[in-house]
Amino acid sequence: MSTSHSSTCVYVKDDQHGWLPANVLSYNADNTTARVSVTVPSGSTSTSATTTEEREVTLSDYDSSALPSDYESSALPLQNINEGGNLITMADMCDLPSLHEPAILYNLRNRHHNLQPYTRVGDIIIAMNPFQWIDGLYSDNVREEYVDRLVWRDGAAGACGDASCRGARDDPKAGLAPHVYETSSLAYRGLAVDDSHQSILVTGESGAGKTETVKIIMSHLASIQSTGAINEDQGLPRHEPAEEHISHNPRDNCVVRRVLDSNPLLEAFGNAKTVRNDNSSRFGKYIQLQFDVEDSTEAAYKGKTVPSCLLAGSYCETYLLEKSRVVGHEGAERTYHIFYQLLAAPQDVKADIWDGLMGATTESFRYVGGGSGNGDAGADTLIEGRTDGEKWENTVDALETIGIVGGKLRTLMRSICVVLQLGNLEFGADPNNDDASVITNADELSKLASLMGIDAEAITKALTFRTITAGGRGKESYTVPLRPASAKDSCDAFAKEIYARSFDWLVRTINEATCAEQNYDDAADVQEFGVIGLLDIFGFEAFQVNRFEQLCINYANEKLQQKYTLDVFSSVQEEYEYEGIALGDISYSDNAEVLRLIEGRMGLIAVLNEECVRPNGNDTSFVSKVKTVNKDTASLIDERLHRPTEFAICHYAGPVKYDATNFVTKNTDTLAKDLVECAATSDNELIAQELQNSVKAKAEQAAAAAPTLGRGRSGAVTVSANFRSQLTSLMHNIGKTKTRYVRCIKPNPEKKPIEVDLLSSTEQLRCAGVVAAVNVSRAAFPNRLMHRTALERFSCLSSESSAEYDEKEVDESQEEKKEDASVVDNNTSQHRDAVEALLGNVLKDMEAVGDDGTVAKAFAVGKSRVYFRAGALEHLETARLDALGVYAIVIERAARGFLARSKFLRHKDAATVIQSSSRRLIARSKFQKDRCAVTAISCWVRCINAKNELVRLRRERACTLLQTRYRIFVAVQHFDSCRSSATTIQKIARGSRQRPIYRAALQEAKEEAVVNKKIAALQKRLADAEMKLLKANGGAVQVVPPEAVPTSADAEEKDEDAQEVRQRAHTIDKELMDDSMEMINVLKKEVFELRSKNYLLRSDFDELKLSYQDLSSQYASVSLSYEALKQTNSEITNANKDLIFRATRDKKEFFDTKRQLTNENDQMRGELARLRSKLEAKERAGDAELARLRAENDRLKAKQGGHVSWASSTPPPSAPAMRRAEFNTRTATFNRGITSPECSDNEEWKVVTPKGKSESRNPQASSGGRRRPRGTRGGRRDKGRSPGAQGRRKRTDREPSSPNGGRYTPSTAGRPSTASTGYTGSSKGMPRVTSTTSLSEVTKGSRSTVTPKKKSTPSKNIVTPKGVEASISSSTTTPTSAPKPAKKAASSSLALAASKGRSS
């Protein structure tokens, strides 16, 4: 292959990024090195900022490992760029002009940046995990579009693998973007139409998206049966998805749901979080979806183009579960999801499973997160956006769909608990025996014993002792103790075996619930179910330390890569046959030698199995034997630096070094007999039966394999032998199917969207075997182009072919308007003939003549593409660049002329712009000077008007304040008077009403005192009577002593006395009763009188209440009046604030004007000084001339003898006098212009006030001129002024004979007064300046009218919110001579004008 030095856009190798784009700058003389400019990203990803640097590369480093097999060592891989220099991106990478590893890498990168995760390489789909959800990518419309285009339409027949339909025009994939739905749709059609079993192989490293891709494909295949395409011509369904296509049997729909739910169920028990992926599958699985395929003949009778396929069930096979993850994992990883889901279950559920789970967390068990260095990656870690508690609910629901409920669910979960509890056992040395061990934590052992239903002593013996059988046939056996480390290993092996058997039982249960043979109703009528197999298996792995698991995984990938290479070669054969190209012998490299090294008669597996059955077999001996037996095998790498347990294999993806430590132990993987017997006694049926069944199955396999191993060899089944048999069976099943491939790529280890790690992606492309497949597909013709592309790109190499092509393009544009297939075919044949004629002339030098005289062209023209042999496309690119170089010279010549003309026109335009700018600057300067003069005059006028307006506003404000205060005073006095009157009226009214009540109450008190006195007297009499009665009774009743015996005479005397006493008591009672009745009558009378008085008092109270209400209404009215006054006062205050704000603003404008006038004054003073110096120089010259003339006059007078006399005539004026007179005239004109432009002293100025009203004012009225008559405007300002204040300055005559030379002298008697305003800040206007006014007079007159002086008359001060104090006085104020600083600047320009007149 020739080197193309003119092809500058290439790729170069880089240790950090894999491949980088570069431009070739130069080659050395012997073509061994090249100088290139490389675009280097600053970071590790493709989205980082880039820099450019130059490198020197050695061409011999570019071998065929990453390039097609025809690339020589001196060739750099070319970039695929278009005419504009942009990278070409293709949905189908077979259409790339140059197809090699860097071209594939950057094509995938660009599509990944554009959120296009899927790319096609023929029938192979490459999927880059986007790490984000892309809207619309998996929508129902997209799913239906792929099904409609690839399944139901008649044109989809070419997509099923038939070579006769692989043309670009017949391929239904031509108008579809690459998608995983494409693979599933083609597999479905291949099963339905071709009646051939299908397989979809999904491979990739952890985190590449294999599991999600399988789930998407399964969901799509299950939904195809309910999708129908619409016949656009007839408007009727082409394929009815009703009775023939959709099963209405609830059991069939339940089977479909079981099939879809089985995948998440396997994820819960077989997936775990790793550093690369949060939901990484730690086992391989091959899911066979079983379909009931309708007979094609029956479908044709029914008018169907595609027979129906009903999803009847599925069958799953698993491979190489990672059991080591059960007992240990890295700190940033987790063990299997089911452990965390079980611990996150509700407390009542955990109590029902095992009471030891109550309150347990991940820290409660060592295998999950607590102790033993197993770091907890986060019990609250979200997997696919859901917590472990939510996942538990989904797992329980999925288990229910396959019939694991109630007792079965409890048994399964208790077996998981047994695994967790085994991890909590701790082993220590036996105090009585150093070679023995004991379990140190008895409480954990008792929990395990109750959980398994086994005696604690039996568990201890099984874990800490081992039974060894001697004699070869089990005749002798003895028990030996285990050290603590060996006992712990035994415990871990027991836990791993229990979990593996539980996982196998779950897979078997899923198969029983989903397989079509047991669950499909019409299974008896189906002779054979159609199968679409989905293989989700681990990708190629190469770590820093590779062990037994990596060897098995890479062995499986080698088998799949062999199948992949053969399928790609078959597709290449079909493509060449369709294009009509003769395919000779193609040599390509395959991996048969690597497979022989691994599975051959003396390969790795055979030697490892021999070491496992050999006594004292070890890892070092295994490695030594492998290197000795296979020393002539090129795939086995033996280096001196390898350790005794290390060896390397050159796989299809690159060399991998393995560490054989524990190879023998892991390959044996046998459980001790003591542990099996112990598990057999457990009350957990799953543990007891599954472990026994596993032992029996291994024994049967060993017995079956014993005759084939030869004499003296044991028939024990090892892990590698079992895996080899499973892999052989898998490849046998896949070989019966039409295989389709999905290669998953993980773009970056950080799982970030958009970004692509170039080095990591390159390694994955090699591991996926994509580059190896490219080498096979391009073994004969490494480059290919479409006919139209070849004509467009290389038509410049031949003028004749270019003209022909241009004519054909016109014909083609006309023919494309005709929608006729025959015209299109004719057009295609014309393109083919044009390409063959063009390339035949250009590549004639590269033709090779064989030994038999046959001529081999450097290209081959097919039906739709032209194929190039090695070096042909590079030769065309070189010739194309040379031809374009000639055209480039012509283009450059025209471009240089255009640039020169453009530069001249730009210079011409620039000169015009400069000239116009200069003229504009001169005119602008003149205009600005004029505008400054006008601005100064207008500013002075505005200042005068603003001052007058300010005086008026202050006067109005003072009047308003006086009125406000007066109204407030009157209202307050009126309110106080009303309130005093109301108080007096209320006082009189209350007194007039309360005095009768008081008198009546006083009379009642007196009467009450009399009654009380009577009652007290009666009470006293009653008390006396009672005392008398008591005394009488006390004398009559006496205690008779017991020793005294009464006589009959005494008894009679006592009877008489008792009768007398009774009569007296009766009399007293009667008197008391009479007195009581009299008292009661008196009290009744008093009560009646009091009630009458109470009624009268109530009537008076009601009247008082009405009066109070009237007074309340009057008070409310007065309050409203007060509030109105208060509101009026607030409005007046706000107006005061507004006036103060405006005054502050005017003050600011005044100071700005002052600064401007000061600057102008300084300028004019400088000009005046210059003129003055110039005038003095001229005066001195005039005086010298006058002295000369006088001397000449004296000389002439002396000569003529005194005859000449000047007394009678006026001497002629001198030149200095004339110049002085001219200067005085100009100064007078300037002063008149400042004072009253274009008007006389008696004319009025039209001034616009701040309120927008037009007002005529005379300058003399505001500057101290003659007094106006009362009939003139402004005469009302003199009203109310004092006689002294109404005076005005008088103007003197302007004749030269006046004492002051006609100048104006201000009069102090004519100064304005502020008596009418009453405000200390008021002042009148400045004096008018005439042509004879001097600077000192102007200054003196202006200062004398600025600030008046207040008398000692008391005044009222009003303080505004901003602290401005205004004094209101009712007395007359007199002005003082104290100047106000603000007025100095205002009069500076006038003083300058007056000084000019004085200097003359």
Side-chain angles (χ1 to χ4, degrees):
M1 172 180 169
S2 63
T3 304
S4 176
H5 291 181
S6 300
S7 301
T8 61
C9 297
V10 296
Y11 293 102
V12 296
K13 292 181 179 180
D14 185 79
D15 295 336
Q16 183 178 358
H17 302 91
W19 293 94
L20 290 176
N23 290 325
V24 178
L25 302 178
S26 62
Y27 289 88
N28 64 346
D30 53 355
N31 289 336
T32 57
T33 61
R35 192 73 181 171
V36 296
S37 174
V38 186
T39 302
V40 183
S42 59
S44 60
T45 59
S46 59
T47 57
S48 305
T50 59
T51 58
T52 303
E53 64 181 35
E54 292 188 4
R55 296 181 183 178
E56 185 174 353
V57 296
T58 303
L59 300 181
S60 60
D61 294 339
Y62 294 83
D63 53 12
S64 60
S65 60
L67 305 175
S69 57
D70 55 280
Y71 266 72
E72 297 179 0
S73 60
S74 60
L76 294 174
L78 299 176
Q79 296 185 31
N80 297 305
I81 57 175
N82 55 17
E83 298 291 341
N86 300 320
L87 192 65
I88 299 174
T89 302
M90 291 292 182
D92 191 345
M93 290 191 290
C94 289
D95 297 332
L96 291 174
S98 298
L99 187 60
H100 39 70
E101 183 178 277
I104 294 172
L105 176 65
Y106 279 86
N107 190 80
L108 293 175
R109 186 203 65 169
N110 288 358
R111 289 184 60 81
H112 183 71
H113 287 175
N114 298 330
L115 297 181
Q116 296 173 334
Y118 296 110
T119 308
R120 185 188 303 119
V121 184
D123 291 336
I124 304 166
I125 296 296
I126 298 178
M128 294 194 78
N129 194 341
F131 293 120
Q132 62 177 329
W133 182 257
I134 302 177
D135 295 334
L137 186 61
Y138 304 102
S139 62
D140 294 339
N141 295 333
V142 174
R143 183 186 300 112
E144 293 174 1
E145 179 183 6
Y146 279 87
V147 173
D148 180 57
R149 292 281 299 275
L150 300 179
V151 177
W152 307 129
R153 289 190 180 180
D154 295 339
C160 301
D162 188 2
S164 62
C165 302
R166 293 180 60 89
R169 303 184 184 276
D170 297 332
D171 191 356
K173 299 183 297 183
L176 291 175
H179 202 288
V180 71
Y181 288 161
E182 170 188 322
T183 303
S184 55
S185 299
L186 294 178
Y188 185 90
R189 183 176 179 89
L191 178 65
V193 176
D194 299 340
D195 196 20
S196 62
H197 300 305
Q198 306 287 315
S199 291
I200 301 176
L201 274 58
V202 183
T203 58
E205 75 167 27
S206 179
K210 301 187 301 297
T211 303
E212 290 299 322
T213 301
V214 170
K215 289 193 290 187
I216 292 171
I217 293 175
M218 287 181 62
S219 177
H220 189 222
L221 289 173
S223 64
I224 290 179
Q225 60 185 359
S226 60
T227 305
I230 302 299
N231 190 333
E232 297 179 358
D233 297 335
Q234 301 178 2
L236 298 174
R238 179 189 298 271
H239 183 84
E240 294 289 343
E243 297 179 356
E244 297 86 2
H245 203 69
I246 300 178
S247 175
H248 297 282
N249 191 340
R251 182 176 178 183
D252 293 342
N253 295 331
C254 180
V255 170
V256 174
R257 193 164 68 112
R258 289 177 186 176
V259 171
L260 297 178
D261 289 345
S262 63
N263 204 43
L265 192 58
L266 291 174
E267 291 181 13
F269 285 84
N271 288 23
K273 180 183 183 302
T274 65
V275 293
R276 295 186 175 185
N277 187 12
D278 291 342
N279 190 28
S280 176
S281 299
R282 309 316 300 164
F283 69 103
K285 61 178 178 290
Y286 182 59
I287 302 174
Q288 302 179 33
L289 300 179
Q290 299 172 318
F291 290 85
D292 181 7
V293 184
E294 184 181 14
D295 184 74
S296 58
T297 305
E298 296 179 0
Y301 284 141
K302 295 178 181 179
K304 298 180 182 179
T305 57
V306 179
S308 63
C309 294
L310 287 176
L311 181 60
S314 68
Y315 187 82
C316 179
E317 296 179 2
T318 60
Y319 308 96
L320 210 62
L321 176 68
E322 187 183 9
K323 296 190 294 183
S324 60
R325 184 168 291 272
V326 176
V327 299
H329 54 272
E330 298 295 334
E333 298 182 347
R334 301 202 317 176
T335 185
Y336 292 104
H337 295 328
I338 187 60
F339 293 109
Y340 300 93
Q341 295 177 11
L342 178 60
L343 294 176
Q347 294 297 328
D348 54 343
V349 176
K350 293 197 289 187
D352 181 63
I353 295 173
W354 179 40
D355 55 1
L357 293 176
M358 292 295 295
T361 62
T362 55
E363 296 298 327
S364 303
F365 301 98
R366 294 179 180 272
Y367 284 165
V368 178
S372 299
N374 287 335
D376 186 7
D380 298 331
T381 301
L382 295 179
I383 304 299
E384 296 181 347
R386 289 184 290 181
T387 62
D388 293 323
E390 297 172 348
K391 286 280 190 177
W392 165 261
E393 300 295 337
N394 297 337
T395 302
V396 172
D397 295 340
L399 289 171
E400 184 179 357
T401 59
I402 63 174
I404 301 179
V405 293
K408 285 186 177 181
L409 177 62
R410 186 171 181 272
T411 300
L412 176 61
M413 292 305 155
R414 284 178 70 88
S415 65
I416 301 300
C417 294
V418 169
V419 175
L420 291 174
Q421 190 60 25
L422 282 171
N424 287 350
L425 296 183
E426 297 179 359
F427 297 87
D430 190 352
N432 301 324
N433 186 359
D434 294 339
D435 294 334
S437 60
V438 295
I439 299 177
T440 58
N441 47 353
D443 53 343
E444 299 292 344
L445 177 61
S446 62
K447 292 180 181 179
L448 178 62
S450 62
L451 181 61
M452 296 184 65
I454 305 175
D455 185 61
E457 293 294 334
I459 296 177
T460 303
K461 183 179 180 181
L463 293 175
T464 58
F465 288 89
R466 184 69 64 245
T467 301
I468 299 177
T469 303
R473 296 181 178 270
K475 295 181 179 180
E476 296 180 4
S477 61
Y478 54 93
T479 303
V480 296
L482 298 178
R483 294 180 179 272
S486 300
K488 180 60 178 174
D489 294 340
S490 177
C491 180
D492 292 344
F494 193 29
K496 291 189 291 186
E497 189 67 20
I498 291 175
Y499 188 81
R501 300 287 75 77
S502 300
F503 183 78
D504 292 341
W505 176 84
L506 177 64
V507 173
R508 191 166 58 252
T509 305
I510 292 174
N511 290 335
E512 292 174 357
T514 59
C515 66
E517 291 80 4
Q518 300 181 16
N519 298 276
Y520 188 56
D521 290 341
D522 299 334
D525 300 334
V526 178
Q527 183 177 1
E528 182 183 7
F529 288 101
V531 174
I532 298 181
L534 301 176
L535 179 63
D536 177 10
I537 199 166
F538 16 70
F540 191 89
E541 293 183 355
F543 303 138
Q544 292 294 332
V545 179
N546 301 280
R547 302 193 183 278
F548 180 74
E549 292 81 5
Q550 280 69 46
L551 178 62
C552 295
I553 289 172
N554 294 341
Y555 168 47
N557 281 273
E558 288 285 354
K559 296 286 287 186
L560 295 175
Q561 179 65 23
Q562 186 183 39
K563 169 68 175 171
Y564 177 62
T565 304
L566 294 176
D567 290 342
V568 170
F569 181 72
S570 300
S571 64
V572 170
Q573 284 183 322
E574 294 177 0
E575 179 183 357
Y576 286 175
E577 289 176 0
Y578 169 74
E579 292 288 344
I581 298 175
L583 183 64
D585 295 334
I586 298 178
S587 60
Y588 61 91
S589 60
D590 58 2
N591 58 347
E593 186 178 8
V594 179
L595 290 176
R596 284 194 300 268
L597 174 63
I598 296 175
E599 63 181 4
R601 185 170 178 273
M602 297 301 294
L604 297 177
I605 295 177
V607 175
L608 183 59
N609 291 337
E610 184 178 354
E611 283 296 315
C612 292
V613 299
R614 187 177 65 85
N616 300 325
N618 55 73
D619 303 324
T620 304
S621 177
F622 159 69
V623 174
S624 177
K625 286 184 179 180
V626 167
K627 291 182 178 181
T628 302
V629 174
N630 300 281
K631 60 182 179 180
D632 297 332
T633 304
S635 299
L636 181 64
I637 302 175
D638 184 11
E639 296 181 358
R640 288 186 175 183
L641 297 179
H642 283 172
R643 288 181 291 183
T645 58
E646 289 181 349
F647 65 95
I649 299 177
C650 184
H651 291 282
Y652 71 93
V656 179
K657 184 174 67 173
Y658 296 94
D659 186 356
T661 304
N662 295 328
F663 264 39
V664 175
T665 303
K666 292 180 179 180
N667 189 46
T668 305
D669 193 27
T670 56
L671 191 65
K673 182 179 179 181
D674 304 84
L675 295 176
V676 176
E677 293 176 353
C678 178
T681 61
S682 174
D683 59 359
N684 191 312
E685 297 179 358
L686 191 151
I687 296 176
Q689 294 180 2
E690 288 300 317
L691 264 67
Q692 288 183 347
N693 294 338
S694 176
V695 173
K696 292 179 181 179
K698 289 182 179 180
E700 293 176 357
Q701 293 180 4
T708 61
L709 296 177
R711 182 177 179 182
R713 293 188 179 182
S714 174
V717 178
T718 60
V719 173
S720 60
N722 187 32
F723 183 67
R724 179 177 58 182
S725 62
Q726 288 182 333
L727 194 58
T728 302
S729 176
L730 172 65
M731 299 308 299
H732 178 72
N733 294 333
I734 292 177
K736 297 179 181 179
T737 64
K738 169 63 177 177
T739 309
R740 305 180 189 276
Y741 298 91
V742 177
R743 301 300 197 194
C744 298
I745 304 296
K746 183 179 181 181
N748 60 84
E750 294 80 12
K751 295 179 286 188
K752 296 180 180 179
I754 303 301
E755 296 185 357
V756 177
D757 190 328
L758 298 176
L759 182 60
S760 174
S761 301
T762 302
E763 294 175 352
Q764 293 180 66
L765 287 175
R766 295 171 183 170
C767 296
V770 176
V771 178
V774 169
N775 289 333
V776 175
S777 63
R778 303 226 167 171
F781 299 98
N783 304 106
R784 63 197 70 186
L785 290 174
M786 300 297 292
H787 291 164
R788 186 184 185 87
T789 304
L791 288 174
E792 291 176 353
R793 192 166 183 83
F794 303 117
S795 59
C796 61
L797 299 180
S798 174
S799 59
E800 179 181 358
S801 60
S802 177
E804 294 177 358
Y805 174 65
D806 294 338
E807 294 177 359
K808 291 176 181 178
E809 275 193 332
V810 175
D811 296 341
E812 180 184 358
S813 63
Q814 296 176 356
E815 291 173 354
E816 283 180 350
K817 298 179 182 179
K818 306 175 184 178
E819 299 179 354
D820 188 5
S822 61
V823 176
V824 174
D825 294 339
N826 187 22
N827 189 18
T828 303
S829 62
Q830 291 178 359
H831 282 174
R832 180 178 179 179
D833 297 339
V835 168
E836 191 167 3
L838 171 65
L839 298 180
N841 294 330
V842 178
L843 298 178
K844 191 173 185 63
D845 297 338
M846 298 188 65
E847 294 179 354
V849 181
D851 297 336
D852 55 353
T854 58
V855 178
K857 293 184 178 181
F859 66 95
V861 181
K863 294 181 179 179
S864 60
R865 294 181 177 89
V866 55
Y867 296 82
F868 299 94
R869 295 190 185 274
L873 184 61
E874 285 73 14
H875 178 77
L876 289 175
E877 291 289 344
T878 302
R880 176 175 173 271
L881 290 177
D882 294 339
L884 293 178
V886 177
Y887 296 133
I889 295 174
V890 178
I891 296 173
E892 288 177 358
R893 181 180 62 189
R896 292 192 186 99
F898 172 77
L899 293 176
R901 285 191 297 273
S902 300
K903 184 177 181 181
F904 169 75
L905 293 176
R906 285 197 303 270
H907 289 176
K908 182 180 178 181
D909 294 340
T912 305
V913 171
I914 293 172
Q915 292 174 1
S916 62
S917 299
S918 301
R919 297 189 189 99
R920 179 181 62 83
L921 181 61
I922 295 172
R924 177 180 175 83
S925 301
K926 183 178 179 181
F927 168 75
Q928 287 180 346
K929 291 180 180 178
D930 296 341
R931 186 177 62 179
C932 289
V934 175
T935 303
I937 297 172
S938 61
C939 287
W940 176 245
V941 174
R942 291 191 191 96
C943 288
I944 296 174
N945 295 336
K947 182 186 65 176
N948 295 335
E949 181 66 18
L950 178 62
V951 171
R952 185 184 65 80
L953 292 175
R954 287 176 176 173
R955 189 179 299 164
E956 291 179 358
R957 173 175 169 273
C959 295
T960 303
L961 292 175
L962 289 174
Q963 293 175 2
T964 300
R965 294 298 181 184
Y966 177 74
R967 293 190 187 98
I968 292 173
F969 174 75
V970 172
V972 171
Q973 283 187 343
H974 179 69
F975 174 73
D976 292 341
S977 176
C978 292
R979 184 170 59 183
S980 177
S981 300
T983 304
T984 303
I985 292 171
Q986 292 176 2
K987 179 173 66 177
I988 295 172
R990 292 190 188 100
S992 62
R993 291 180 182 178
Q994 294 297 328
R995 276 191 293 273
I997 296 173
Y998 173 74
R999 295 189 189 99
L1002 184 62
Q1003 182 65 26
E1004 288 178 2
K1006 292 179 181 180
E1007 292 176 356
E1008 185 177 359
V1010 173
V1011 173
N1012 291 336
K1013 186 175 182 182
K1014 291 180 181 182
I1015 292 173
L1018 289 174
Q1019 289 178 350
K1020 184 177 181 181
R1021 290 175 58 188
L1022 180 61
D1024 294 342
E1026 288 178 354
M1027 291 299 297
K1028 290 178 182 180
L1029 180 61
L1030 290 175
K1031 289 178 181 180
N1033 291 334
V1037 182
Q1038 294 182 357
V1039 180
V1040 181
E1043 61 269 6
V1045 178
T1047 60
S1048 60
D1050 294 334
E1052 291 178 359
E1053 185 177 358
K1054 291 180 179 180
D1055 291 338
E1056 292 177 359
D1057 293 338
Q1059 186 175 4
E1060 184 179 359
V1061 170
R1062 283 194 295 273
Q1063 291 178 358
R1064 189 182 302 168
H1066 180 70
T1067 303
I1068 292 171
D1069 292 339
K1070 186 175 180 182
E1071 292 177 357
L1072 292 174
M1073 184 63 67
D1074 294 338
D1075 293 339
S1076 298
M1077 293 299 296
E1078 183 180 359
M1079 186 181 300
I1080 290 172
N1081 292 329
V1082 172
L1083 291 174
K1084 286 182 178 180
K1085 183 178 179 181
E1086 292 293 334
V1087 168
F1088 179 75
E1089 291 177 356
L1090 291 174
R1091 286 181 177 177
S1092 300
K1093 292 180 180 179
N1094 187 23
Y1095 177 75
L1096 294 175
L1097 289 174
R1098 287 185 178 179
S1099 300
D1100 294 340
F1101 176 75
D1102 294 337
E1103 293 178 359
L1104 289 174
K1105 188 175 182 180
L1106 295 175
S1107 299
Y1108 176 74
Q1109 291 178 355
D1110 294 339
L1111 290 174
S1112 298
S1113 62
Q1114 294 177 5
Y1115 178 76
S1117 177
V1118 173
S1119 299
L1120 292 176
S1121 300
Y1122 177 74
E1123 291 294 334
L1125 292 174
K1126 187 176 180 181
Q1127 184 177 4
T1128 303
N1129 187 20
S1130 176
E1131 294 176 354
I1132 293 172
T1133 303
N1134 293 333
N1136 186 20
K1137 293 178 181 179
D1138 185 40
L1139 289 174
I1140 292 172
F1141 171 74
R1142 294 173 61 185
T1144 305
R1145 183 187 60 191
D1146 294 340
K1147 183 178 180 181
K1148 182 179 178 181
E1149 293 178 356
F1150 174 75
F1151 280 113
D1152 295 339
T1153 305
K1154 176 184 175 182
R1155 284 192 296 269
Q1156 185 177 1
L1157 292 176
T1158 301
N1159 296 333
E1160 294 177 357
N1161 189 13
D1162 295 338
Q1163 294 177 1
M1164 296 183 70
R1165 282 182 179 178
E1167 182 66 21
L1168 182 61
R1170 187 181 62 81
L1171 294 175
R1172 184 178 297 171
S1173 60
K1174 186 176 181 181
L1175 182 61
E1176 290 176 353
K1178 291 181 179 182
E1179 285 180 352
R1180 287 193 298 269
D1183 293 340
E1185 181 67 20
L1186 182 60
R1188 188 185 64 79
L1189 292 176
R1190 284 179 181 177
E1192 183 68 23
N1193 186 23
D1194 293 341
R1195 187 180 61 80
L1196 292 175
K1197 186 186 295 185
K1199 183 177 180 180
Q1200 295 178 3
H1203 296 289
V1204 179
S1205 177
W1206 294 93
S1208 61
S1209 62
T1210 303
S1214 61
M1218 295 177 64
R1219 286 194 294 270
R1220 191 180 303 113
E1222 182 182 359
F1223 181 80
N1224 292 336
T1225 303
R1226 291 181 179 179
T1227 306
T1229 304
F1230 178 77
N1231 291 336
R1232 283 197 300 271
I1234 294 178
T1235 305
S1236 56
E1238 299 180 1
C1239 66
S1240 63
D1241 294 341
N1242 296 326
E1243 289 178 352
E1244 294 181 349
W1245 293 353
K1246 184 69 68 175
V1247 182
V1248 180
T1249 63
K1251 293 185 178 180
K1253 297 180 180 180
S1254 177
E1255 182 177 338
S1256 299
R1257 297 180 181 176
N1258 191 289
Q1260 295 180 359
S1262 59
S1263 61
R1266 286 186 294 273
R1267 182 177 178 180
R1268 292 177 181 272
R1270 287 189 180 274
T1272 61
R1273 294 176 64 89
R1276 54 189 176 87
R1277 294 193 178 186
D1278 298 333
K1279 294 181 180 181
R1281 297 185 182 181
S1282 62
Q1286 294 177 5
R1288 294 290 183 269
R1289 298 187 184 94
K1290 294 182 179 181
R1291 300 178 59 188
T1292 61
D1293 296 334
R1294 297 190 176 116
E1295 286 79 5
S1297 60
S1298 59
N1300 55 359
R1303 293 181 181 140
Y1304 174 72
T1305 303
S1307 176
T1308 57
R1311 294 172 185 170
S1313 175
T1314 59
S1316 61
T1317 61
Y1319 187 70
T1320 60
S1322 65
S1323 64
K1324 299 307 291 181
M1326 299 292 292
R1328 186 172 66 87
V1329 181
T1330 65
S1331 61
T1332 59
T1333 304
S1334 64
L1335 176 63
S1336 61
E1337 290 169 347
V1338 172
T1339 307
K1340 183 177 180 181
S1342 62
R1343 292 180 180 177
S1344 65
T1345 60
V1346 174
T1347 306
K1349 184 177 180 181
K1350 297 186 293 184
K1351 288 186 178 181
S1352 60
T1353 304
S1355 60
K1356 296 181 181 180
N1357 295 330
I1358 300 174
V1359 180
T1360 64
K1362 294 187 177 181
V1364 180
E1365 183 175 350
S1367 176
I1368 303 174
S1369 176
S1370 61
S1371 63
T1372 305
T1373 61
T1374 60
T1376 64
S1377 60
K1380 190 173 183 179
K1383 302 299 182 179
K1384 292 182 180 180
S1387 62
S1388 60
S1389 62
L1390 299 179
L1392 176 62
S1395 64
K1396 292 183 179 180
R1398 187 172 63 253
S1399 63
S1400 63

